[in-house]
Amino acid sequence: MIWTLAILPVTLLALGTPIFALFLAGAALTFAFFLTVQPVALHQIMFGGLENYALLAVPFFIFAGELMGGSGIADRLIAWVLALIGRVPGSLGVATVGACTLIGAISGASTATVAVVGRALYPSLVRDGYGTRFSAGLVSSSGSIDIVIPPSIAMILYGASAEQSIAKLFAAGVLPGLLIAFMMSAYVVVMALRIGVRTSAGFDLRHFLRTTYEAGPALLMPVFILSGIYLGWFSPTEAGGFACLYAIIVGRYVYRTMTWNGVLDCAVTSAMITAQILVIVAAAALFSWILTINGVPQAITAGLKALELPPWGFLMVVNIILLVVGCFLDPTSAIIVLTPLFIPIVKSLGIDPIHFGIVMTVNIAIGMFTPPFGLNLFVAQTVLGIPLDTLYRGVLPFAVVQITALLIITYWPALTLVVLRTF
Amino acid sequence: MSAPEQPAVSETHPVARAVRVVLGLLLLCMVVLNVASAMCRYIFGIVFVGADELLVFAMIWMVMVGMIVVTASRSHIALDFLVTRVAPRQRVMLSAAHNIVVTGACAYATVYCWSFVMRVAAIGQTSMALELPMAVPHFALVVGFGGTTIASALLLASDIAKLARAPRPAAS
């Protein structure tokens, strides 16, 4: 069975087979040759994997992100962050991190953020003297903050898979996301001083007030979405719907940058992206179920228990596994396949599943830009025309910064859980 | 992630365009239903019975029909690191190998999804809130995997034809 559940899927992954197909092929061959369970069960498992109300938030937040890019909301947010940062050393670099963080508070798609922020700021970063390698690394790695800052598609998938509250995961992700943004910004400032990059024009109150006025409706969007969830006005899924409606109203009637055809184009693109992601969810759910009925989680639990690892040791092992897996596997597959394997151990060791969800999300976020297969790297390569070799070398210092942040988040659970305990 | 090979059905083909537009409109309708349902519940105290159920079933149909379009346009998520680094002929060979896997796996899934839907239809199972025949949402998987099998088989045929037409590299 190791052939159908391990060797075949890994080989197909390396050959570039669509990810949903490698899970489905592995599952089909296991059903055909090894399982005594009726193969019709595969339908029930895949249908059950999709028939989850929480997953509805995925298409809605993808659509909201598409509308935000199409209606110029993202451009106004970038302009506002640039006006706010002013004369801080490395202001343009810090603005790149800030823009990714702010856009992350509306959209849940890291790759879209890399494309939007990269197009807007990468040429200026290079012109101001940050260098191609540093700028490429900064844009690719900053986009991953999007995954940790709520609303986050990775958190929705983890919540659905681990049966945890998505609203709690969203609340718990705020401070870790801000910590990563702060550490990235601090690193950018230090490097800007060392390289001696040009500093942007100083803080201009009039310019700042004008950009604040122009970006006002865009800035209110994350406030509206997140406060709505945390104040209990609506569920995360309903918040996704409201985010779409808000973005349509702002794009169509406030900024007047979006036509109805533009709205439909965004809807079509979002439907296609949703299909790409959720078909993997269905196939990965089947694969994960087969692993479960074959006792893989129990074997892993027994193996780790035999090692008598303390909770910190288990979290260290999990971090290493997830960082390695994140280099090779897309976030959706990693979460859907690995969450059911880890959750029983997490619970048996007394680790808070919400805290673990955030640790897992940060790992997945780092995997988005770590070589060789981080998705953000390929987006930066395609959209900005940066060679992969430059990207690989450029992201390494930022990977070190984010792994340091990951260790703080892992071993200081209060940072993650303080928001939940306060409210 | 990388530039796709020639798709089985061009995205500008009237059928492909029509399906994509229908899926976009379906998503827009889902947003409207979701917002209307939430607003009516919280502001007017009116509950749309079965709205959540309908939204989930619509999402399943959107994903399954979308899967056919995504397959036909060769835009599934994959690690195409190797694909983008090999010579054009090897790239077509890899694409053919991928399509063999997709066709086989989806054909297998189609057979058993069909078998399951027949059982559900036979017992007349209905949904909890709307009392819709459950065969309707379950049938989405038959359509999705069946359509994907056909789309990937067409892509496979196109890859084989391309390999047959292309001149082999001269032996050194």
Side-chain angles (χ1 to χ4, degrees), chain A residues 15-17 19-20 31 40 43-44 47 50 60 233 237-238 241 268 272 276 279 328 373 375 388 392, chain B residues 1 20 23-24 34-35 41-42 52 55 59 67 75-79 81 85 98 108 113 115-116 137-138:
Chain A
L15 289 174
T17 309
I19 288 172
F20 90 94
F31 266 113
V40 284
H43 175 98
Q44 279 173 288
F47 188 85
L50 290 175
F60 292 154
W233 294 343
T237 302
E238 289 165 344
V268 168
M272 293 301 114
Q276 287 174 326
V279 73
F328 298 94
F373 297 125
L375 283 175
L388 265 184
Y392 283 173
Chain B
M1 289 189 289
R20 288 162 62 90
L23 292 177
N34 182 41
V35 172
R41 188 184 309 149
Y42 295 123
D52 295 351
L55 282 167
M59 179 182 72
M67 176 167 67
S75 51
H76 274 294
I77 296 173
L79 297 178
F81 194 78
R85 274 161 182 72
H98 299 159
Y108 185 87
C113 287
S115 167
F116 186 89
H138 281 288

Side-chain angles (χ1 to χ4, degrees), chain A residues 319-364:
Chain A
N319 277 334
I320 293 167
I321 292 172
L322 288 173
L323 285 173
V324 173
V325 167
C327 293
F328 298 94
L329 208 54
D330 69 295
T332 308
S333 311
I335 291 170
I336 299 296
V337 173
L338 295 178
T339 301
L341 303 185
F342 287 141
I343 279 295
I345 315 169
V346 166
K347 287 181 177 166
S348 73
L349 288 173
I351 299 166
D352 190 309
I354 296 289
H355 174 229
F356 184 75
I358 301 303
V359 170
M360 201 156 176
T361 304
V362 175
N363 271 293
I364 297 296

Side-chain angles (χ1 to χ4, degrees), chain A residues 247-391:
Chain A
I248 291 172
I249 291 170
V250 169
R252 183 81 184 84
Y253 299 109
V254 180
Y255 293 150
R256 297 173 190 275
T257 46
M258 184 158 262
T259 61
W260 285 116
N261 276 340
V263 172
L264 184 59
D265 283 346
C266 289
V268 168
T269 307
S270 307
M272 293 301 114
I273 297 171
T274 302
Q276 287 174 326
I277 293 175
L278 292 190
V279 73
I280 294 178
V281 169
L286 175 65
F287 193 80
S288 178
W289 177 80
I290 291 177
L291 292 179
T292 304
I293 62 163
N294 282 291
V296 175
Q298 294 86 331
I300 293 173
T301 308
L304 285 170
K305 276 192 175 160
L307 291 174
E308 294 184 350
L309 287 171
W312 71 265
F314 166 74
L315 286 171
M316 182 60 81
V317 170
V318 167
N319 277 334
I320 293 167
I321 292 172
L322 288 173
L323 285 173
V324 173
V325 167
C327 293
F328 298 94
L329 208 54
D330 69 295
T332 308
S333 311
I335 291 170
I336 299 296
V337 173
L338 295 178
T339 301
L341 303 185
F342 287 141
I343 279 295
I345 315 169
V346 166
K347 287 181 177 166
S348 73
L349 288 173
I351 299 166
D352 190 309
I354 296 289
H355 174 229
F356 184 75
I358 301 303
V359 170
M360 201 156 176
T361 304
V362 175
N363 271 293
I364 297 296
I366 295 171
M368 287 297 288
F369 69 88
T370 41
F373 297 125
L375 283 175
N376 287 359
L377 300 173
F378 295 102
V379 173
Q381 182 198 23
T382 309
V383 175
L384 307 174
I386 308 166
L388 265 184
D389 296 344
T390 308
L391 283 161

